[in-house]
Amino acid sequence: MSERALLVTRAQVRGAVVDVRIDGGRITAIGDDLATDGAATLDAGGGALVPGLHDHHLHLLAMAAARRSLDAAVLPDGAALDAAVSRRHVDREGDRWLRIVGIDDRHGPVDRARLDALAPGRRVRAQHRSGAAWVLSSPALAAVGEEVDDGWIHRRDAELGRRWADDAPDLAPIGAELARLGVTGATDATPFDDPSALTLLAAAHGAGALPQRIVATGSPALATIRAPHGVERGPVKVLVADEDLPSVEQLAGWFRIAHDAGRPVAVHCVTRLGLVLALAAWEDAGAADGDRIEHGSVLPIELLATVAELGLTVVTQPALLRARGDAYLVDVDPDDVDHLYRCGSLIDAGIPVGLSTDAPFGPADPWLAIAAATDRRSSSGQVVGAARPSPRPTPSTGCSPRRRLLAVRPGASRSAPADLVLLDRPLAEALADPSAERVRRTWIGGSLVHDGDPG
């Protein structure tokens, strides 16, 4: 709809019911009883018109790849996994790869011998639900030139990806799904070390398959690279990998590489030890504006003051409490459970928070993240940890200032980008029961990318 002006009438904006005019991809007026002046009209019926959501940490190419994979996350146990892999092996033509995602302890020990028995002669690769490791069958190991007794390979996604040379994933279904959820922007937090991945994202954006505004991280190896048109450079992704912990000096060196290139860092921290190492490196190298802790999976209360003093943002995924909370209550050290995926307590401490999903390694629905940040409940209804729930998470929670897109107030006439989501009810009612079903329409740059009530 960017070709023709649009007048959205009776929309709730910051608590007031007003009209909003969109022209040339931007908000040009907000007020009472605005003139049509040739614009198409849409009656919001009192529904909230809010800024488009920005998912601050997901993995777009992995999301696309996961769609054509066997999803073990929905399989309850090892017997179900074995049956599903055997069926997929029989149904799969020729010697094509069989890709599995989402395996974890529920499925029992998974190694090359088990994969070989389930799919004889087939190249099989199975990814742990964390995304941090793969286990490969013997033919798969031979195909990528590796020899590992149990078949497990950790933290080498970029290198392995070049070796198994999959076809380019189809990103159009991902763009459509994100639009349905009200997501108008996304930060791909994959530590790419090959610029070709950025080229894939840019091409999908340019073709309209991925209409969202895309920010990409990349590893320190890409710190100085110029992003292709259609992709914005974000922070440099730095891994604190618990199976191979870097030294404080090594971490600080990576931070300096990013800062010297004029970019902040986004530091992967999922354990207490990893966080302590990262904070020590920040104390050594210094923090820059925009530096972030990714996940903050375990963020002890006694470290919040240090995080705040350094001026760091925490990009967290509270929806994992809903998806995996019951397992966390069994498997996570009791001393750490109270510190899982904080949100409200971070806000109380003056720490900026970015909500995200970590899709496909967590649920892609940002409304589920809002709900889980509110009640901290697992799928069975148990409260996970004593960290304070967030009392009023909003769709724009965690958006950086430049992404608070509906910055104009009723009566204003200055222009703002029309990256917007229309809900089917007022904002307070939507937040009382957060759900993607509340999303009626989504616009990016004034163009309609999702219509939940066509006709």
Side-chain angles (χ1 to χ4, degrees):
M1 284 190 181
S2 59
E3 297 81 5
R4 185 182 178 191
L6 173 66
L7 184 66
V8 183
T9 62
R10 298 198 302 147
Q12 186 200 54
V13 178
R14 298 183 181 274
V17 176
V18 293
D19 298 343
V20 178
R21 185 180 179 92
I22 300 169
D23 204 345
R26 305 186 75 80
I27 300 168
T28 54
I30 298 182
D32 296 326
D33 300 319
L34 296 179
T36 304
D37 289 339
T41 61
L42 172 66
D43 184 359
L49 189 64
V50 300
L53 309 187
H54 189 96
D55 190 325
H56 288 268
H57 183 123
L58 48 61
H59 304 272
L60 292 162
L61 297 179
M63 290 173 72
R67 291 179 67 90
R68 57 189 187 189
S69 302
L70 173 62
D71 185 6
V74 301
L75 302 175
D77 52 35
L81 174 67
D82 288 354
V85 173
S86 296
R87 284 195 303 271
R88 187 67 65 93
H89 168 59
V90 171
D91 294 341
R92 203 136 180 94
E93 296 178 1
D95 64 349
R96 294 169 58 199
W97 281 87
L98 170 55
R99 188 180 191 274
I100 306 167
V101 296
I103 62 170
D104 61 22
D105 292 344
R106 290 173 300 162
H107 305 119
V110 179
D111 58 16
R112 68 186 290 182
R114 183 173 172 187
L115 296 179
D116 289 347
L118 293 170
R122 185 172 298 281
R123 294 171 295 172
V124 182
R125 64 185 193 267
Q127 188 178 44
H128 188 263
R129 73 174 187 189
S130 66
W134 292 89
V135 57
L136 278 65
S137 67
S138 296
L141 287 167
V144 299
E146 295 284 340
E147 180 55 46
V148 184
D149 287 345
D150 62 1
W152 279 94
I153 301 177
H154 296 266
R155 293 284 178 205
R156 292 169 57 191
D157 280 37
E159 176 188 350
L160 291 172
R162 288 189 289 271
R163 295 187 193 177
W164 51 57
D166 288 334
D167 295 334
D170 182 6
L171 287 161
I174 304 304
E177 175 68 3
L178 292 177
R180 183 188 70 81
L181 296 168
V183 176
T184 61
T187 297
D188 192 300
T190 310
F192 299 122
D193 62 8
D194 185 335
S196 65
L198 305 184
T199 301
L200 282 175
L201 296 178
H205 178 75
L210 199 61
Q212 286 73 23
R213 301 184 191 273
I214 304 301
V215 180
T217 59
S219 73
L222 300 185
T224 60
I225 194 170
R226 188 172 186 173
H229 179 71
V231 174
E232 178 185 338
R233 289 197 320 173
V236 172
K237 180 73 174 288
V238 175
L239 287 173
V240 183
D242 293 279
E243 68 277 0
D244 185 19
L245 286 169
S247 67
V248 171
E249 294 74 20
Q250 189 175 21
L251 273 178
W254 290 333
F255 292 4
R256 292 189 180 98
I257 288 172
H259 293 165
D260 288 347
R263 296 174 63 185
V265 290
V267 185
H268 168 100
C269 293
V270 296
T271 64
R272 185 186 297 247
L273 177 56
L275 178 62
V276 169
L277 279 174
L279 293 176
W282 263 305
E283 295 280 6
D284 183 354
D289 184 38
D291 281 0
R292 307 165 18 162
I293 296 169
E294 303 297 299
H295 308 297
S297 309
V298 179
L299 220 170
I301 193 74
E302 63 270 17
L303 295 179
L304 298 193
T306 301
V307 173
E309 288 167 5
L310 288 167
L312 305 175
T313 293
V314 176
V315 176
T316 187
Q317 297 96 32
L320 291 173
L321 297 175
R322 187 78 91 245
R324 303 179 190 168
D326 292 313
Y328 291 156
L329 290 171
V330 173
D331 299 334
V332 172
D333 188 315
D335 290 338
D336 287 340
V337 169
D338 283 352
H339 307 299
L340 291 171
Y341 296 104
R342 294 181 177 276
C343 186
S345 51
L346 297 177
I347 296 170
D348 286 347
I351 297 168
V353 175
L355 290 185
S356 61
T357 66
D358 199 20
F361 309 113
D365 185 350
W367 299 92
L368 182 60
I370 292 171
T374 304
D375 62 24
R376 297 187 60 82
R377 292 189 181 277
S378 70
S379 59
S380 71
Q382 296 188 77
V383 174
V384 183
R388 190 178 73 76
S390 178
R392 288 195 62 192
T394 68
S396 58
T397 294
C399 288
S400 61
R402 66 185 172 189
R403 299 195 187 284
R404 294 188 187 278
L405 299 175
L406 196 57
V408 288
R409 290 173 170 76
S413 60
R414 66 185 178 87
S415 181
D419 290 15
L420 301 168
V421 174
L422 177 62
L423 305 181
D424 67 357
R425 62 198 64 198
L427 184 58
E429 292 181 26
L431 294 178
D433 182 22
S435 168
E437 298 303 314
R438 310 287 176 245
V439 176
R440 280 181 58 189
R441 299 195 180 193
T442 304
W443 293 269
I444 300 176
S447 292
L448 184 66
V449 296
H450 168 68
D451 187 353
D453 51 4

